[in-house]
Amino acid sequence: MGGIRREDLFLGKEDFMGRNDDESESELGSGSDSESEEVPSSEPSKRAIYNREGILEKLEDISWPENVDWIHKLAVDLEEDKDLDVNDDIVRELAFYTQALEGTRQAYAKLHSQGVAFFRPPDYYAEMVKTDSHMLKVKGRLLEQKKKIEEAEERKKARESKKMAKEVQAVKLKERAKQKKEDIESVKKWRKQRQRSGFGADKGEDLGFNFDGGGGGGGFERSKKKRPGVAPGDRSGGSAKRNVGGKEKANRKRERRDSKFGYGGRKGLKKQNNAATTDDLRGFNKGDFSSKKRKKNL
Amino acid sequence: MGKKRKLGQQAEVAEAATPEEVSAPQRPKRTLLGWKDGAVGPVQENSSSGAAGARGGVPVFRNKEKVLITCSRRIMSRYRHLMLNVVSLLPHCKKDNKVESKSSKGATLNELVELRNCSYCMFFECRKQKDLYLWMAKCPNGPSVKFLVNAVHTMEELKLTGNHLKGSRPILTFTTNFNKDPHWMLLKEMITQIFETPKDHRKSKPFHDHVFAFAIVDDHIWFRNYQIVNQGGIEETTLVEVGPRFCLNPIKIFGGSFGGPTLYENPFYISPNQIRALEKKKKAGKYATKVKAKTRRKMHELENPLEPDEFADLWRE
């Protein structure tokens, strides 16, 4: 808030004096004593006039009679905060606010006991200090502020939820990886157990669970046998061609491509610009011109 | 103007006379200049109930303070708005034209106050398009105070969201350090008389919905104006600031109105001109020291010349 605090003045003065001293030391005597007279005093000046009797006399002159009704003055005295920091805006304003509020309560008590109406009834309309148009402006500003705060909060929430989702996703992936590992481990374990117990040697029984791809000790190596009705790269063993699910999968891909690139219909209309796409430059490569590259190279 | 004043006086008399019609049967006779057996000056009118007579020997008090509010020429818009805000807060004030801020302004203002039938004057004096001084003077016999006004916020600022009835009587709250020193006591009395709307003033409204806070902090008088928001009972009441805000730094108290013997001088007061001069000097000093250091260095070099280097010509052929 505006206003020049005395502390600032103290500081200013000290700086000034300090500099002055240095100067006078360094100088060869070009007499700058006249400056010091203009330096304002930060301490209470001794010559200040204070005529207590005169002031009290004047006070008696102008004051209203002693026995004047309180209702004429409506003045309330309140204890002030002794060590209030002037430069702390919030503390200072709070002190004024509490002073006013406490004063209001006391005044209300007094007026209420005298039977004087205090609050304005809600149906009492009269001219106000601020005009309606001004109050509209005030309201508009308040609403705008509220909106801004809400928007900021929303943005914050979205950011946080995004962060949360990322974490959740990471946990999920980790869990999935762990699950997979465990599965593989258990299969390996099971196989070892089987080998140890001697079943692994018997090929006839092994056909039932053809984990090794029929290769015995070959692990997950692909078998070199030709499979009837199955394409060479097909890992599903021909089931993709046969069953309905596989067909659907292929269709889905086709659908996606169709939706992306278009399928059927007249081509001419699609390739024309319309109002929405005229200014849409998203498809172009921005800022990656060859001229720039050349510049960089130079 | 004349007509207005007449009406006002008649209204006041009528109001004053009604309660004691039983005990005071005859009205005092009216003359062109006032009342025949009443006091003429506004001071006496205030201290005793001049015309309205006495009820059982006890004079009935009537607050008849009127405040003339005016400003100097070439006042800044912000300060002019502050003045207009004060005008809107005081229904018992009269606004007048701008007055040239010369050395003879005291006499002019005194005349003006007398012409407008006022007992107080608030004069907003703007100097150098920067500094606002506020005079509060009791006319015609003094005293008068000169303040420096700091930290001005007008009612138009949008962050002050309160609003209240125009002309409702404010509640004045003072901090207790107003009762500590004679000059603060005097200022408190003057502020009370200026800022309190007279009871039953014809432009006043019968409810109380705003409160003024006067606080002395750091030897300055801080002013705040709050709206009292009724939320069903005094305990739930909250305040909303209406404005304006300002901070008064008393400079001097004079015995007369706009002049007279000095009764009080603020020992801490430093005029804004001095402060600005100080800052300027600080800035100017920076350059001066630089120049001085340069010349000093030159002098030093001249006085202590370097010895000629004996190996300087070693590699020259």
Side-chain angles (χ1 to χ4, degrees):
Chain A
M1 298 229 349
I4 296 135
R5 300 281 101 73
R6 204 177 299 142
E7 285 80 6
D8 302 347
L9 291 178
F10 280 140
L11 283 179
K13 195 222 160 196
E14 272 162 22
D15 284 353
F16 183 67
M17 289 300 283
R19 194 183 53 72
N20 221 9
D21 288 347
D22 290 348
E23 252 179 40
S24 53
E25 276 169 28
S26 65
E27 243 183 347
L28 304 170
S30 72
S32 64
D33 291 357
S34 59
E35 277 178 25
S36 59
E37 278 174 25
E38 290 165 27
V39 175
S41 60
S42 54
E43 276 142 38
S45 64
K46 303 283 190 304
R47 289 174 298 163
I49 300 166
Y50 197 177
N51 183 356
R52 278 168 195 274
E53 289 75 38
I55 290 174
L56 289 174
E57 209 172 277
K58 275 288 166 199
L59 177 61
E60 236 167 74
D61 273 0
I62 66 159
S63 60
W64 288 341
E66 276 292 304
N67 56 354
V68 62
D69 252 352
W70 179 78
I71 194 134
H72 290 289
K73 283 189 169 179
L74 290 182
V76 185
D77 284 353
L78 291 149
E79 197 62 44
E80 80 278 1
D81 192 356
K82 285 283 185 254
D83 35 49
L84 183 66
D85 183 14
V86 207
N87 296 319
D88 192 340
D89 283 358
I90 293 169
V91 171
R92 190 190 57 222
E93 294 304 318
L94 187 69
F96 297 152
Y97 181 88
T98 47
Q99 177 195 339
L101 190 63
E102 195 48 45
T104 309
R105 291 205 171 127
Q106 288 184 17
Y108 176 80
K110 275 185 192 171
L111 287 170
H112 201 64
S113 65
Q114 290 181 23
V116 179
F118 190 86
F119 289 121
R120 176 176 77 127
D123 56 346
Y124 182 89
Y125 292 108
E127 194 187 355
M128 307 290 270
V129 178
K130 290 178 184 171
T131 56
D132 284 354
S133 61
H134 180 79
M135 289 314 282
L136 216 65
K137 263 191 228 168
V138 171
K139 203 174 155 192
R141 183 174 174 265
L142 285 180
L143 284 179
E144 197 183 308
Q145 265 180 345
K146 203 177 152 198
K147 213 174 92 187
K148 250 185 207 167
I149 290 172
E150 269 172 12
E151 268 173 14
E153 236 155 55
E154 221 160 79
R155 243 177 286 140
K156 203 175 166 189
K157 220 183 262 173
R159 221 179 297 139
E160 240 151 55
S161 70
K162 207 175 174 186
K163 213 189 249 174
M164 250 328 238
K166 223 178 193 175
E167 265 169 34
V168 167
Q169 189 67 21
V171 169
K172 226 189 227 167
L173 280 178
K174 217 182 252 175
E175 210 145 88
R176 226 178 264 164
K178 204 178 155 197
Q179 183 74 31
K180 197 176 171 186
K181 211 174 169 186
E182 264 175 21
D183 283 354
I184 290 171
E185 283 288 308
S186 67
V187 169
K188 267 185 188 167
K189 220 184 205 171
W190 174 78
R191 194 189 292 141
K192 254 179 206 167
Q193 234 172 16
R194 218 166 136 266
Q195 271 176 345
R196 220 177 291 140
S197 57
F199 282 116
D202 198 338
K203 267 188 183 176
E205 264 175 58
D206 201 14
L207 280 173
F209 327 84
N210 198 3
F211 287 104
D212 305 344
F220 285 104
E221 256 176 66
R222 207 182 285 164
S223 74
K224 287 184 177 79
K225 262 191 233 161
K226 226 181 173 196
R227 293 170 290 181
V230 177
D234 198 346
R235 295 165 100 187
S236 63
S239 64
K241 237 182 185 180
R242 259 171 278 140
N243 64 18
V244 192
K247 207 178 177 189
E248 251 179 22
K249 200 178 173 188
N251 269 352
R252 228 182 288 147
K253 198 171 174 187
R254 187 66 251 162
E255 268 165 27
R256 214 178 130 64
R257 294 210 153 163
D258 283 349
S259 72
K260 195 173 177 186
F261 303 114
Y263 176 72
R266 268 183 69 190
K267 288 228 167 60
L269 283 176
K270 271 179 213 162
K271 291 192 172 178
Q272 271 173 2
N273 260 344
N274 60 24
T277 59
T278 311
D279 295 328
D280 190 7
L281 299 175
R282 268 181 305 177
F284 292 95
N285 229 356
K286 268 184 277 174
D288 195 26
F289 296 113
S290 53
S291 61
K292 244 187 189 173
K293 265 183 196 167
R294 231 176 280 146
K295 247 183 205 173
K296 246 182 209 172
N297 289 340
L298 285 173
Chain B
M1 182 55 235
K3 195 182 167 194
K4 223 180 187 176
R5 187 161 67 233
K6 226 188 241 169
L7 280 175
Q9 273 178 350
Q10 273 169 354
E12 276 157 15
V13 168
E15 280 167 21
T18 37
E20 56 248 297
E21 255 176 343
V22 190
S23 59
Q26 93 273 18
R27 279 184 177 181
K29 254 184 198 158
R30 192 170 172 190
T31 66
L32 274 176
L33 291 171
W35 307 100
K36 213 160 203 181
D37 55 344
V40 182
V43 179
Q44 283 101 335
E45 265 183 5
N46 285 320
S47 52
S48 71
S49 72
R55 182 170 37 185
V58 181
V60 176
F61 174 80
R62 280 199 69 75
N63 178 1
K64 285 186 185 171
E65 307 292 356
K66 274 175 228 153
V67 186
L68 183 84
I69 296 184
T70 179
C71 63
S72 67
R73 290 204 172 278
R74 293 184 290 278
I75 191 173
M76 250 172 79
S77 58
R78 189 188 187 80
Y79 297 151
R80 184 161 41 84
H81 283 129
L82 175 72
M83 183 192 74
L84 294 175
N85 291 160
V86 173
V87 167
S88 71
L89 290 179
L90 308 180
H92 57 290
C93 81
K94 295 177 177 179
K95 193 164 81 70
D96 210 305
N97 295 341
K98 290 175 178 173
V99 174
E100 189 70 54
S101 155
K102 283 186 291 197
S103 56
S104 64
K105 64 175 183 289
T108 322
L109 282 168
N110 277 333
E111 211 170 289
L112 212 61
V113 173
E114 208 183 331
L115 265 171
R116 302 296 301 266
N117 248 356
C118 291
S119 58
Y120 270 101
C121 179
M122 281 172 92
F123 179 54
F124 291 80
E125 187 181 2
C126 184
R127 293 228 187 120
K128 295 196 166 185
Q129 296 278 303
K130 282 175 202 146
D131 311 318
L132 181 67
Y133 298 92
L134 172 61
W135 286 81
M136 284 185 194
K138 171 93 180 171
C139 295
N141 297 326
S144 52
V145 197
K146 191 185 181 188
F147 297 102
L148 176 72
V149 186
N150 281 332
V152 172
H153 295 252
T154 62
M155 247 186 218
E156 279 77 28
E157 279 178 31
L158 291 180
K159 66 178 177 190
L160 303 172
T161 53
N163 197 2
H164 61 76
L165 288 173
K166 194 171 190 173
S168 63
R169 298 185 64 211
I171 292 161
L172 307 180
T173 62
F174 293 94
T175 50
T176 42
N177 46 16
F178 269 104
N179 303 330
K180 217 170 56 193
D181 284 313
H183 66 280
W184 290 126
M185 281 158 73
L186 183 75
L187 288 181
K188 184 186 171 189
E189 187 65 31
M190 287 179 78
I191 286 171
T192 319
Q193 296 189 5
I194 289 175
F195 280 90
E196 190 50 66
T197 307
K199 190 171 168 288
D200 303 327
H201 189 273
R202 68 198 161 85
K203 280 190 208 160
S204 74
K205 306 222 164 67
F207 305 107
H208 304 271
D209 65 348
H210 66 295
V211 49
F212 290 165
F214 293 95
I216 301 178
V217 183
D218 192 33
D219 288 325
H220 293 52
I221 301 175
W222 297 76
F223 172 85
R224 294 286 181 275
N225 176 22
Y226 296 98
Q227 175 197 2
I228 302 169
V229 183
N230 179 16
Q231 292 175 328
I234 190 68
E235 286 309 315
E236 285 87 54
T237 306
T238 53
L239 303 179
V240 181
E241 187 161 1
V242 180
R245 291 172 168 188
F246 51 84
C247 170
L248 301 172
N249 185 11
I251 303 169
K252 269 185 182 179
I253 299 177
F254 300 101
S257 77
F258 296 107
T262 307
L263 299 179
Y264 167 78
E265 230 177 347
N266 188 352
F268 296 107
Y269 174 69
I270 301 166
S271 88
N273 284 337
Q274 273 174 310
I275 291 164
R276 278 194 291 267
L278 202 91
E279 267 169 21
K280 241 185 210 170
K281 223 174 251 173
K282 219 195 248 168
K283 265 183 209 157
K286 213 173 170 185
Y287 176 67
T289 42
K290 236 190 252 171
V291 171
K292 233 170 250 169
K294 232 180 208 174
T295 51
R296 204 153 20 109
R297 177 77 194 150
K298 218 168 224 174
M299 292 294 284
H300 180 77
E301 276 174 4
L302 281 177
E303 275 170 21
N304 313 309
L306 277 176
E307 281 176 26
D309 191 359
E310 53 181 308
F311 299 116
D313 296 332
L314 192 60
W315 300 109
R316 206 181 287 162
E317 283 166 325

mmCIF file of all heavy atoms in Angstrom, chain B residues 200-216:
data_model
loop_
_atom_site.group_PDB
_atom_site.id
_atom_site.type_symbol
_atom_site.label_atom_id
_atom_site.label_comp_id
_atom_site.label_asym_id
_atom_site.label_seq_id
_atom_site.Cartn_x
_atom_site.Cartn_y
_atom_site.Cartn_z
ATOM 1 N N ASP B 200 -31.588 13.077 12.837
ATOM 2 C CA ASP B 200 -32.785 13.645 12.211
ATOM 3 C C ASP B 200 -32.458 14.668 11.140
ATOM 4 O O ASP B 200 -33.245 15.568 10.880
ATOM 5 C CB ASP B 200 -33.712 14.293 13.263
ATOM 6 C CG ASP B 200 -34.099 13.308 14.333
ATOM 7 O OD1 ASP B 200 -34.216 12.133 14.004
ATOM 8 O OD2 ASP B 200 -34.253 13.728 15.485
ATOM 9 N N HIS B 201 -31.305 14.551 10.552
ATOM 10 C CA HIS B 201 -31.015 15.399 9.396
ATOM 11 C C HIS B 201 -31.968 15.012 8.291
ATOM 12 O O HIS B 201 -32.315 13.844 8.138
ATOM 13 C CB HIS B 201 -29.560 15.184 8.963
ATOM 14 C CG HIS B 201 -29.094 16.146 7.929
ATOM 15 N ND1 HIS B 201 -29.271 15.918 6.592
ATOM 16 C CD2 HIS B 201 -28.454 17.337 8.025
ATOM 17 C CE1 HIS B 201 -28.766 16.939 5.909
ATOM 18 N NE2 HIS B 201 -28.266 17.806 6.758
ATOM 19 N N ARG B 202 -32.399 16.023 7.506
ATOM 20 C CA ARG B 202 -33.470 15.683 6.561
ATOM 21 C C ARG B 202 -33.008 14.747 5.460
ATOM 22 O O ARG B 202 -33.805 14.052 4.850
ATOM 23 C CB ARG B 202 -34.101 16.946 5.997
ATOM 24 C CG ARG B 202 -33.230 17.742 5.096
ATOM 25 C CD ARG B 202 -33.748 19.148 4.947
ATOM 26 N NE ARG B 202 -32.682 19.991 4.456
ATOM 27 C CZ ARG B 202 -32.403 20.111 3.169
ATOM 28 N NH1 ARG B 202 -33.111 19.481 2.280
ATOM 29 N NH2 ARG B 202 -31.403 20.873 2.781
ATOM 30 N N LYS B 203 -31.705 14.717 5.181
ATOM 31 C CA LYS B 203 -31.248 13.798 4.136
ATOM 32 C C LYS B 203 -30.804 12.462 4.718
ATOM 33 O O LYS B 203 -30.358 11.581 3.992
ATOM 34 C CB LYS B 203 -30.071 14.412 3.401
ATOM 35 C CG LYS B 203 -30.467 15.440 2.365
ATOM 36 C CD LYS B 203 -29.250 15.804 1.535
ATOM 37 C CE LYS B 203 -29.366 17.195 0.997
ATOM 38 N NZ LYS B 203 -28.048 17.710 0.627
ATOM 39 N N SER B 204 -30.861 12.327 6.033
ATOM 40 C CA SER B 204 -30.366 11.081 6.631
ATOM 41 C C SER B 204 -31.458 10.026 6.615
ATOM 42 O O SER B 204 -32.639 10.333 6.491
ATOM 43 C CB SER B 204 -29.900 11.340 8.056
ATOM 44 O OG SER B 204 -31.012 11.513 8.894
ATOM 45 N N LYS B 205 -31.026 8.761 6.733
ATOM 46 C CA LYS B 205 -31.976 7.663 6.731
ATOM 47 C C LYS B 205 -31.948 7.003 8.115
ATOM 48 O O LYS B 205 -30.911 7.008 8.787
ATOM 49 C CB LYS B 205 -31.588 6.655 5.657
ATOM 50 C CG LYS B 205 -31.448 7.344 4.308
ATOM 51 C CD LYS B 205 -32.031 6.571 3.176
ATOM 52 C CE LYS B 205 -32.220 7.444 1.963
ATOM 53 N NZ LYS B 205 -30.971 7.914 1.369
ATOM 54 N N PRO B 206 -33.067 6.447 8.538
ATOM 55 C CA PRO B 206 -33.191 6.080 9.953
ATOM 56 C C PRO B 206 -32.517 4.772 10.349
ATOM 57 O O PRO B 206 -32.769 4.285 11.428
ATOM 58 C CB PRO B 206 -34.699 5.998 10.139
ATOM 59 C CG PRO B 206 -35.212 5.631 8.807
ATOM 60 C CD PRO B 206 -34.306 6.239 7.802
ATOM 61 N N PHE B 207 -31.685 4.170 9.490
ATOM 62 C CA PHE B 207 -31.066 2.894 9.866
ATOM 63 C C PHE B 207 -29.551 3.025 9.886
ATOM 64 O O PHE B 207 -28.992 3.991 9.380
ATOM 65 C CB PHE B 207 -31.502 1.793 8.900
ATOM 66 C CG PHE B 207 -32.986 1.673 8.809
ATOM 67 C CD1 PHE B 207 -33.654 2.115 7.682
ATOM 68 C CD2 PHE B 207 -33.714 1.167 9.856
ATOM 69 C CE1 PHE B 207 -35.030 2.038 7.605
ATOM 70 C CE2 PHE B 207 -35.092 1.081 9.791
ATOM 71 C CZ PHE B 207 -35.754 1.523 8.663
ATOM 72 N N HIS B 208 -28.934 2.045 10.486
ATOM 73 C CA HIS B 208 -27.475 2.080 10.599
ATOM 74 C C HIS B 208 -26.907 0.914 9.814
ATOM 75 O O HIS B 208 -27.027 -0.222 10.237
ATOM 76 C CB HIS B 208 -27.058 1.994 12.059
ATOM 77 C CG HIS B 208 -27.667 3.071 12.884
ATOM 78 N ND1 HIS B 208 -27.083 4.290 13.065
ATOM 79 C CD2 HIS B 208 -28.846 3.116 13.546
ATOM 80 C CE1 HIS B 208 -27.863 5.042 13.813
ATOM 81 N NE2 HIS B 208 -28.940 4.356 14.126
ATOM 82 N N ASP B 209 -26.325 1.193 8.679
ATOM 83 C CA ASP B 209 -25.786 0.069 7.920
ATOM 84 C C ASP B 209 -24.352 0.299 7.479
ATOM 85 O O ASP B 209 -23.880 -0.366 6.577
ATOM 86 C CB ASP B 209 -26.667 -0.277 6.721
ATOM 87 C CG ASP B 209 -26.705 0.830 5.695
ATOM 88 O OD1 ASP B 209 -26.229 1.933 6.024
ATOM 89 O OD2 ASP B 209 -27.195 0.596 4.581
ATOM 90 N N HIS B 210 -23.679 1.254 8.094
ATOM 91 C CA HIS B 210 -22.237 1.292 7.834
ATOM 92 C C HIS B 210 -21.488 1.841 9.036
ATOM 93 O O HIS B 210 -22.070 2.492 9.902
ATOM 94 C CB HIS B 210 -21.887 2.053 6.555
ATOM 95 C CG HIS B 210 -22.189 3.522 6.579
ATOM 96 N ND1 HIS B 210 -23.451 4.006 6.668
ATOM 97 C CD2 HIS B 210 -21.377 4.585 6.501
ATOM 98 C CE1 HIS B 210 -23.414 5.328 6.643
ATOM 99 N NE2 HIS B 210 -22.173 5.711 6.547
ATOM 100 N N VAL B 211 -20.233 1.511 9.083
ATOM 101 C CA VAL B 211 -19.418 1.851 10.242
ATOM 102 C C VAL B 211 -18.065 2.385 9.756
ATOM 103 O O VAL B 211 -17.472 1.853 8.831
ATOM 104 C CB VAL B 211 -19.267 0.626 11.181
ATOM 105 C CG1 VAL B 211 -18.856 -0.596 10.417
ATOM 106 C CG2 VAL B 211 -18.284 0.879 12.291
ATOM 107 N N PHE B 212 -17.647 3.479 10.356
ATOM 108 C CA PHE B 212 -16.332 4.047 10.031
ATOM 109 C C PHE B 212 -15.326 3.576 11.072
ATOM 110 O O PHE B 212 -15.630 3.554 12.265
ATOM 111 C CB PHE B 212 -16.358 5.574 10.091
ATOM 112 C CG PHE B 212 -17.148 6.236 8.990
ATOM 113 C CD1 PHE B 212 -17.515 7.566 9.097
ATOM 114 C CD2 PHE B 212 -17.511 5.535 7.862
ATOM 115 C CE1 PHE B 212 -18.233 8.180 8.095
ATOM 116 C CE2 PHE B 212 -18.235 6.152 6.853
ATOM 117 C CZ PHE B 212 -18.601 7.481 6.973
ATOM 118 N N ALA B 213 -14.163 3.230 10.634
ATOM 119 C CA ALA B 213 -13.099 2.874 11.571
ATOM 120 C C ALA B 213 -11.989 3.914 11.466
ATOM 121 O O ALA B 213 -11.436 4.125 10.383
ATOM 122 C CB ALA B 213 -12.563 1.486 11.257
ATOM 123 N N PHE B 214 -11.714 4.576 12.566
ATOM 124 C CA PHE B 214 -10.577 5.484 12.635
ATOM 125 C C PHE B 214 -9.558 4.862 13.582
ATOM 126 O O PHE B 214 -9.871 4.609 14.743
ATOM 127 C CB PHE B 214 -10.982 6.860 13.184
ATOM 128 C CG PHE B 214 -11.882 7.622 12.266
ATOM 129 C CD1 PHE B 214 -13.247 7.582 12.422
ATOM 130 C CD2 PHE B 214 -11.352 8.390 11.244
ATOM 131 C CE1 PHE B 214 -14.080 8.284 11.576
ATOM 132 C CE2 PHE B 214 -12.179 9.099 10.394
ATOM 133 C CZ PHE B 214 -13.549 9.046 10.566
ATOM 134 N N ALA B 215 -8.367 4.625 13.098
ATOM 135 C CA ALA B 215 -7.366 3.994 13.945
ATOM 136 C C ALA B 215 -6.054 4.754 13.818
ATOM 137 O O ALA B 215 -5.688 5.174 12.717
ATOM 138 C CB ALA B 215 -7.164 2.545 13.532
ATOM 139 N N ILE B 216 -5.398 4.945 14.954
ATOM 140 C CA ILE B 216 -4.065 5.535 14.902
ATOM 141 C C ILE B 216 -3.064 4.399 14.893
ATOM 142 O O ILE B 216 -2.942 3.656 15.862
ATOM 143 C CB ILE B 216 -3.794 6.444 16.108
ATOM 144 C CG1 ILE B 216 -4.822 7.562 16.168
ATOM 145 C CG2 ILE B 216 -2.398 7.039 16.009
ATOM 146 C CD1 ILE B 216 -4.651 8.454 17.348
#
